[in-house]
Every structure is written in C-alpha cells, then in structure tokens.
Amino acid sequence: MIGLALRSLKFHKGGFIASFIALFFGAAIVIACGGLLETGVRGLAEPQRLRGATIVVTGDQGYPGANKVFRERVRLDESAVSEAAAVPGVQAAVPDVSVPAVVVPAGGKGGVTATGHGWDSTRLGPYSLVQGSAPSGTNQVALDARLAERAGAKPGDQVTLGLHGTTAAYRVTGLVNGPGPAETLFLSDADAARYAPQRGKIDSIGVLVAPGTDTGRVRAALDSAFAGAQVSLLTGDERGRAEFPRVVTDSKNLVSMSAVFGGLAAMVTVFVVASTLGLSLQQRQRQMALLRAIGSTPGQVRRMVLAETFIVAVFATTLACVPGPRLGNWLLGRFIDAGVVPGELIHRSGLIPLFAGAGAAVLTALGAAWIAARAAARTRPTEALAEATLQRRGLNWIRVLFAVLCLAGAATLSFVTMSIDGAKAGGTATPAAMLWAAGFGLLGPTLTRLMTAVLHWPVRAFTGFSGQMALLNAKARATRLAGAVMPVMLATGMAIALIYLQTTQNRGAQQAFEDNLRADLVLTSATGGMPAALADGIAGKPGVAAASAYVPSSGFLEPSKAEMDAYTGKGQKPKGTPLHITGVSPKGIERTTAIQVLSGSLADLGEDTVALPESAASGHRIGEQIPMRMGDGTKVQPRLVATVGDQRGYGAALMPASVVAEHTTNGLVPQILVAADPGTGATRLAAELTGPGAPQPGLRAADRSVLVTASAEQNDTQTWVAYLLVATVVGYAVIALVNSLVMATGERRREFSLQRLIGATRGQVLRMMTVEALLTALAGLTLGMLVAAATLVPLSKSVLGRALPAGPPAILLAVLAAALVLTLGTTLLTARMALRTKPSAAIGSRD
C-alpha cells in the first residue's frame, strides 16, 4: 500500500498540494502558539543585577495551590537574611531592595525614572566603581554611568531625587558600571531601607555559595530553612524573575492569550484540514469506485488513503517545525513592543510545542482521511460508480450527531455568555464562535442545498441561462459546492465574530471607566507617587469640592470559614477568587466617581474594613469578617461595611488607600481624583494645585479628558494584541478559503472540456462560473453572518446591555467585500487557467 500511495501522489498533485498547504500552515500556527504558552509558563528572564548570586531567595508570586499569581510584589521579612546566612555552605546572604526613584538634574529641568538599590547589593552584579567613591552616608548616591550621562550629572554634583513620594538633594559620590539596566542608582544601605516601599521588607536575597560547596545541597538546605513560607528559590535564568517580577505576573497574560488562541487555531486547523482532505478524496470518488469495481477490498482502499495522507502529513508538519518557533518569537516581539509583556522575557519553544502542533495536524489528517475512506470503501462497487458521478450520498448519522453536539455546545456557551459579567464574557464567546462554525460546517451539504433553494429564483431571474447552468451544477454537486462554501463561512464568520468581540469588549471597558469617573482633575507626581494623607490635605484647599486617593490593585477573595468547614477532602479544595481592589479616600470617593452604594455606608470605610462589589458580596452580611489576600499575598480579614454596584463586572472592592498602598509594589498612591467646586474652572484649579504653593513639590494635573484618552489608548493596545492573534488565525482561514476554491475549480477541467465539446464558448463557461462563485460567496457570507450574530449578540447583551455589538461598520463591509473578491477572483482565475487546456487533451488525461 505504501508503494501504491507513493505512485498515486504523482497523479493527484492538486489535491495533495492543497492538503500539504493546509497542514503546513495549521501546524506552524499551533506550534507558534504552543511556544508562546511554554514561554509564559516558564517565565524566564536572563539575570542582570543578580547575575553574581548562585541562588536567589525571593517571594513566591504564585497563589498557593492554583495557577494564579499575585499582581503586586511578594516581599520577604528582613529576618529572612539572617536565616539564609545561617544555612551551611552559604558564604554570604545579600539583601536587595528596589526603590522607585526619579533623578532631576541640578538645573531642575526634566527627570529620569530610575530604580534605587542598597550599595551592598552591588556584590551581586557584580558592579564596579569607575569614578568616585561608594555612597556611605545619608543623601549620597552612586549612579550608573549611562544614567549619569542621561541626567547630565558627574561625581560631586548635586541632584534632586524623588524617593517614596518625597524629594531631597543628593550628592553624586561615584559612577558605576555593571550588567543591570541603565536606569539604576545605588544609595547607602540605610537610605535604601528608609525609602523602601514596605518598611521591614526586602525584595530578595542573593546567596553566594562558599567555594567548593555543592549548590544542590545548599539549595536543599535553604528549602528546608524556609519550609512553609511563601518563598521561591531561583537558579539559572529563573533568577531574572526576582529582578523583573513583571516576567511572572505578565507572563500569565501570555499564557491565557496563547492558550485561547492556540486552542482556537487548533480547532480551525481541524476544521480546515478535515474539509480540505474531504474535498480532495471526494474528487477521487471515481478512482475509488473503479478500485472497488476491479476487486480491491474495503481494507485495501482505506489503507491506501491513510498511507497517502500519512506521507503528506508527516512531510508538511516536519517542515512546519522550522517556521513555527520563529513565528512564535516574532509574535512575542510584537507583544513586547506593545508593552503587554516585559522585554526581558525569554522566548522558549521546546519539543512539547513541536510534538503537540505536528501531532495534532497528523492525527487530524489521519482522522479525516479515515472517515472519508471508510465511507468510500463501504459502498458497493456499482453504487460507488453511480455516487461518484452524481454525489447523491447524504449525511451519515455520525456527522449529524457531532453537528448536533457542536450546536448544542455553542448554544449553551452563548447562554452562559449572556448570563455572566461583561468582563468575563469573552472567555466563553470565543469557543462558542468556533462551535457554531463547526456545527454549520458538519451540516454543510444540507445547509448548502437549503441556501441554493432560497437563492434559486433570484439567481435564475437575474442571470439567465448561465444562472440556470450554475444552479443545475449546484443541485447535482451539492457536496462539492459545500466544500467551497464552508471555507467562506469559516473565514467571514470567524473574522467578524473575533474582531467585533474585541471592539465590543474594548467599548465595554471604556464605557465603564468613563461612566465611573466624575473627577474634574487627576493629580500625579513626578516623584513616582504620593502619600495617602495628601488627598485629605487637597480636599481642604479652596475650590476643591472633594478629593480621593486612587490606588488600583488586585487580590483574592478567600473561601469563607463555612466553605472550608464544608470541605470533606473529596473533590477540589476551595480556592480564592480573583478580585479587583481599589484604595480610596472614604470622604471623597462618592463625589469623584459614580460608585453606587447598595447597602451600608462608605463613611464607615476605615482601617480593617472593606466594601465589596455586589457580585462578590453574595452570601456575606454587613459586619461580617471577609477573608482576603491583598495584592502581595498578605492575608487580611477586614469587616464588610458596604456593598457597591458592579458595573457589569468591572467593579472592584474598596478599601482605604493607605491600606491598599502598603501592599502594592511601589507602596504609594499613583493618582488623586479631584472634583472642583461649582464655578471653579478646572484649568485654574490645576494651576493652584501644581504651582508655587502646591501641597507637595512635583505634582502634575491632568483634566478628565486626558485620563479618558489614556484609558482608551491602553485598551486599544490590548485590543491590538488580540487583533494580531486574530489576524494569524483568520489569515490561515483565508489561505484555506483560497486553497479550497482553487482545488474545487481546478479539478473541473474535464467538465469544462465536455461543455466546450458540445458547443459552449469559453465566455459562457466563465459566466456560468461567475454565477457559481456568486452563489458560493452569498451562501458562505450568509452562514458566516449567522455564526457572527450567534456569537456577538449574547456577548453584547452581557457587555453593553444591548444586542448590537460595538465597532465601526467599515470592518463588516471590509470583511464581506474581501470575501466576495477572494471568492470571485480565485474561482475565475482558476477557471480561466483550466480553460487553457484543449478539450480533447483534458478528456484524454482523465480517461
């Protein structure tokens, strides 16, 4: 059978080339997404400042027992340094702390954002002095030589440093060179501890192992010393996580994105490969019938088809292993450019993505070939010859069963989408779109007959004899027509559904932000942040109606005591639920935002209290202690004093700004919302709050429109990243569309030649094909619109509270026009090429 399969490849180049293209591109995309998934899971970054440390001890960013992360930096107690130093084999345990800083030159103009560290941590780089001396006292600093050049500073100069919301004059004592980022400066160890975001806490510990000591034993001893603590021990490229915590927190975004779109790409690959192979084997029904008629057994026919498919699949997927990882690395570069993931994240694409992508494509191809060959092999020889000519076979029960399951699953997911919060709706809408497309695709011949019947009279009325011929072809060859219609449906349906899914979610988030913001001004600081108490001071200024600190963060709502008591040890242990947390000023938050209090009072919001959004407050009572974890993993049990509106899932728990800021990476208030008194202009108020008599040096003011624009730009960036992945998947669907149309039209040389021999002109044949292409496009576009509508209406109801999704109509028109042009252009170009063959030569080549 292998020999026969190899010989048959020579005589069916068109079908096998089409199958090769579908398998090659599908496997490459799945491998690329698999590599991104592996990159996110590993979360590796090359160490820089901590390169000299053999082992780095740092806080574990992972939520215990779950694949979730704490968004704020998880820090260690200072006492951990002495514990690490006491471990046998440890030569030195060096603490490291990161202090957000701004360097302002002596002239006072401009400023460079930087990160400060204690001088002792230079041993971990290692760093070396190239000029001057080390900082040894208060208000002394050593600058990275590259940072000094940018700031225009040299040893002996005075620079102003913004540290932890304050400004102070520092003397530059020296310049250093080292492997870390250019925006690095070093303070005395005492100053670094004084300005640390959290007093009594450090970021990490660099462990230097004594010469001749086995690193594995030291690591095991450290593991025992910190048993039960939320600590990670890092070696190799893992050490970069301690320097760049965004590698851990933001790589989870990469995991979710690559998993969703990788799964979507795999599903599209299954659909496209099965459709392409099915169409290819369908075109060979006459050959299969002849093989059966001359005595070939069903088993021999199946084995021949499987052998052919296996050869093509292995060749295509093996070649796809070359561009797949490179495509993943290119996509990661685009994510880095957009700021979605940090630039330090190292791309990793090992054997697992290669085997997964190639294996999925090969198994899909063999499965599709087995189903198609099984149907051909089970038919009696005389019936096979008749069916090869007329294509009368209907849908088998297996196909109908899977179609019903896909449509039922899609309907269920659509109902869930409409029922859940708008912020989460996209997670169920995306797989729903693929299930709708798969269900319609499995029912392709039946739906194509239905669409042909609906379009019969309009097409016949407007296109005359050419239309009548096209309709007769469509009726006699419904299966072939379905093979051309389904790729059009897939490309248009997925493009419209996925693009408008992103625009609708973008609009929902932006609308929630705009509806919630009532402040006239937003204050920020050139020093990187402000103390929480500053908001109360600003609230008392003339012209200010209200002011509230605003500290966005996130954490987890922990299982209640009742839930833990009810757990019997069977099944999944209750875990924390992710929760947005916002630090606010109780006196000013209701005037500066549109937060709606449903029960209780925000006036009671103080230390150890919380106001929960309505969805998170279910099952809790006012006055109850609520178990939570803050953004840095700290366990708290604040008392519930109020519940607030949810804003279709975009709401957050409210806590005092001073409490939330203590558990953030920077430890400061990034923004203060200010509402002006009636009659007080925002421009004049901004000048008073940031001018010479400002409550704090370095304050900056922006009006509401600036903040709204910044939020929209951030949402647009996230949407652009999703567009990039959507374009990759939809681009593959478009390749499949062209592929299928070329194959479906190109194999009709014999049919065209017969028409030419009985008197039809080349123009008549082309006009007939034009009508067929229009019929294919209209049927595919209609089904694609149904897929998109079934996906987007539930999503829009959840996100926007209406049936119509958000987004420019131009996108819809562009997708429909592109599909129409591709279908017409590909069909007519292929038909024109097929008509170049002399009729007698085409008949002879097939017979």
Side-chain angles (χ1 to χ4, degrees):
M1 279 301 128
I2 294 293
L4 179 60
L6 288 171
R7 287 193 295 274
S8 68
L9 292 176
K10 187 188 304 183
F11 298 99
H12 300 284
K13 295 186 182 71
F16 290 120
I17 290 173
S19 301
F20 173 87
I21 291 172
L23 287 163
F24 175 79
F25 283 101
I29 293 172
V30 173
I31 289 170
C33 290
L36 291 176
L37 180 63
E38 182 180 353
T39 299
V41 170
R42 290 181 179 274
L44 300 179
E46 184 180 355
Q48 297 180 17
R49 284 190 314 100
L50 305 181
R51 186 182 300 173
T54 312
I55 303 171
V56 175
V57 183
T58 191
D60 186 357
Q61 295 291 143
Y63 181 90
N67 188 28
K68 302 172 184 175
V69 295
F70 295 109
R71 294 290 172 180
E72 309 294 349
R73 178 143 205 169
V74 178
R75 293 186 167 91
L76 307 173
D77 291 329
E78 286 181 338
S79 59
V81 179
S82 58
E83 293 179 42
V87 170
V90 173
Q91 183 180 40
V94 182
D96 180 54
V97 64
S98 299
V99 181
V102 177
V103 182
V104 182
K109 294 183 179 180
V112 181
T113 301
T115 304
H117 306 275
W119 177 256
D120 194 31
S121 66
T122 55
R123 288 193 284 166
L124 303 175
Y127 277 83
S128 58
L129 275 168
V130 293
Q131 212 174 333
S133 60
S136 57
T138 304
N139 290 30
Q140 294 182 0
V141 63
L143 303 178
D144 186 288
R146 295 163 292 178
L147 175 61
E149 183 178 355
R150 287 183 60 188
K154 61 183 183 298
D157 286 352
Q158 292 284 335
V159 295
T160 300
L161 293 186
L163 298 167
H164 201 68
T166 63
T167 56
Y170 270 71
R171 183 171 63 86
V172 179
T173 62
L175 305 181
V176 297
N177 271 342
E183 298 80 14
T184 302
L185 58 86
F186 293 95
L187 309 169
S188 66
D189 293 327
D191 272 4
R194 179 156 58 102
Y195 291 115
Q198 292 179 327
R199 296 293 178 86
K201 299 278 189 178
I202 58 173
D203 292 349
S204 54
I205 303 169
V207 175
L208 304 177
V209 176
T213 305
D214 182 58
T215 302
R217 288 188 177 182
V218 175
R219 177 167 181 160
L222 286 168
D223 194 32
S224 298
F226 292 103
Q230 193 166 335
V231 166
S232 286
L233 304 178
L234 310 176
T235 56
D237 283 343
E238 294 176 341
R239 294 171 296 173
R241 298 175 188 168
E243 285 189 64
F244 311 105
R246 279 191 62 203
V247 166
V248 179
T249 57
D250 291 357
S251 64
K252 293 302 178 183
N253 297 333
L254 187 61
V255 169
S256 60
M257 285 190 299
S258 57
V260 169
F261 284 96
L264 180 63
M267 293 178 72
V268 172
T269 300
V270 170
F271 186 96
V272 169
V273 169
S275 175
T276 306
L277 275 170
L279 183 60
S280 175
L281 292 174
Q282 188 186 106
Q283 293 174 356
R284 297 173 58 193
Q285 278 186 331
R286 185 179 180 85
Q287 177 195 358
M288 304 294 180
L290 287 171
L291 286 173
R292 292 282 286 116
I294 63 175
S296 298
T297 66
Q300 288 175 321
V301 173
R302 280 196 298 268
R303 287 195 294 274
M304 182 194 72
V305 171
L306 289 174
E308 293 171 350
T309 305
F310 180 75
I311 292 169
V312 174
V314 168
F315 185 48
T317 54
T318 300
L319 290 180
C321 291
V322 177
R326 289 169 173 77
L327 175 61
N329 192 32
W330 181 83
L331 288 171
L332 180 64
R334 306 293 72 73
F335 296 159
I336 291 172
D337 293 341
V340 176
V341 294
E344 295 80 14
L345 185 63
I346 299 175
H347 181 255
R348 286 285 186 268
S349 185
L351 293 178
I352 293 178
L354 293 178
F355 284 129
V362 171
L363 290 176
T364 298
L366 292 177
W370 183 83
I371 292 172
R374 179 175 177 270
R378 289 181 63 186
T379 308
R380 294 176 182 175
T382 54
E383 293 176 356
L385 284 169
E387 289 188 357
T389 304
L390 299 177
Q391 294 186 349
R392 293 179 301 185
R393 183 183 298 144
L395 300 178
N396 59 53
W397 69 270
I398 297 178
R399 187 164 181 165
V400 173
L401 175 62
F402 276 100
V404 171
L405 290 176
C406 285
L407 294 176
T412 302
L413 285 175
S414 296
F415 177 78
V416 172
T417 300
M418 196 160 44
S419 304
I420 62 178
D421 293 335
K424 304 174 184 176
T428 54
T430 302
M434 194 62 238
L435 287 176
W436 284 120
F440 287 166
L442 289 168
L443 297 176
T446 300
L447 292 176
T448 301
R449 290 189 183 96
L450 178 62
M451 293 300 302
T452 303
V454 171
L455 296 171
H456 177 84
W457 291 109
V459 170
R460 188 171 181 178
F462 287 101
T463 56
F465 179 74
S466 299
Q468 186 175 359
M469 288 293 296
L471 288 168
L472 289 173
N473 275 331
K475 185 176 180 180
R477 300 275 184 169
T479 306
R480 181 182 66 192
L481 182 62
V485 168
M486 290 304 107
V488 179
M489 178 270 292
L490 179 68
T492 56
M494 296 304 294
I496 295 170
L498 295 179
I499 291 174
Y500 278 101
L501 184 149
Q502 299 302 326
T503 57
T504 300
Q505 286 190 301
N506 187 355
R507 180 55 192 159
Q510 185 64 19
Q511 183 176 307
F513 179 83
E514 292 179 18
D515 291 346
N516 186 56
L517 183 64
R518 297 288 176 84
D520 299 299
L521 294 175
V522 179
L523 296 181
T524 57
S525 175
T527 63
M530 299 159 283
L534 182 62
D536 293 333
I538 290 174
K541 294 292 182 181
V544 176
S548 173
Y550 191 82
V551 188
S553 185
S554 65
F556 293 88
L557 187 66
E558 295 286 87
S560 65
K561 186 177 183 300
E563 289 177 310
M564 295 303 295
D565 291 341
Y567 177 63
T568 60
K570 297 181 180 179
Q572 189 175 15
K573 187 177 180 180
K575 298 287 193 307
T577 304
L579 179 69
H580 291 289
I581 302 173
T582 302
V584 300
S585 302
K587 295 180 180 178
I589 190 61
E590 292 186 80
R591 293 286 302 274
T592 54
T593 67
I595 288 174
Q596 181 182 7
V597 179
L598 303 179
S599 63
S601 173
L602 291 182
D604 298 328
L605 195 65
E607 295 291 330
D608 297 326
T609 62
V610 65
L612 290 179
E614 185 180 13
S615 59
S618 177
H620 297 290
R621 302 184 308 275
I622 298 296
E624 183 181 343
Q625 301 294 125
I626 307 297
M628 296 173 58
R629 280 184 182 261
M630 302 300 289
D632 63 350
T634 303
K635 292 182 178 181
V636 295
Q637 282 198 326
R639 180 171 55 88
L640 182 63
V641 296
T643 61
V644 296
D646 233 348
Q647 293 180 308
R648 291 193 292 274
Y650 296 97
L654 305 180
M655 300 181 74
S658 58
V659 173
V660 177
E662 288 178 4
H663 300 284
T664 60
T665 300
N666 288 343
L668 294 169
V669 173
Q671 297 175 339
I672 293 179
L673 308 180
V674 179
D677 277 331
T680 302
T683 304
R684 182 169 64 85
L685 184 59
E688 293 175 355
L689 293 176
T690 59
Q696 176 179 300
L699 288 183
R700 299 169 178 170
D703 63 21
R704 184 180 186 276
S705 62
V706 173
L707 198 63
V708 169
T709 301
S711 174
E713 290 175 352
Q714 182 179 2
N715 289 332
D716 288 342
T717 298
Q718 295 173 350
T719 302
W720 177 86
V721 171
Y723 281 161
L724 185 62
L725 291 170
V726 168
T728 304
V729 176
V730 172
Y732 175 51
V734 170
I735 292 173
L737 184 155
V738 175
N739 201 22
S740 298
L741 290 173
V742 169
M743 185 168 58
T745 307
E747 63 95 20
R748 298 174 65 182
R749 283 186 174 89
R750 186 172 185 273
E751 175 189 334
F752 295 158
S753 297
L754 285 172
Q755 291 172 348
R756 296 284 307 284
L757 287 173
I758 63 174
T761 66
R762 187 189 300 261
Q764 287 175 322
V765 175
L766 286 175
R767 285 194 292 273
M768 179 193 72
M769 291 306 299
T770 301
V771 177
E772 282 195 34
L774 285 172
L775 188 63
T776 300
L778 290 174
L781 293 177
T782 302
L783 293 175
M785 288 289 289
L786 287 176
V787 169
T791 303
L792 294 173
V793 170
L795 174 82
S796 187
K797 291 286 288 183
S798 175
V799 175
L800 301 175
R802 68 188 193 207
L804 186 66
I811 293 176
L812 175 63
L813 297 177
V815 171
L816 296 179
L820 182 61
V821 170
L822 276 174
T823 305
L824 279 170
T826 304
T827 301
L828 293 179
L829 180 62
T830 309
R832 185 178 291 276
M833 293 176 65
L835 286 169
R836 291 179 179 177
T837 306
K838 293 182 179 180
S840 57
I843 295 295
S845 67
R846 290 292 301 267
D847 291 340

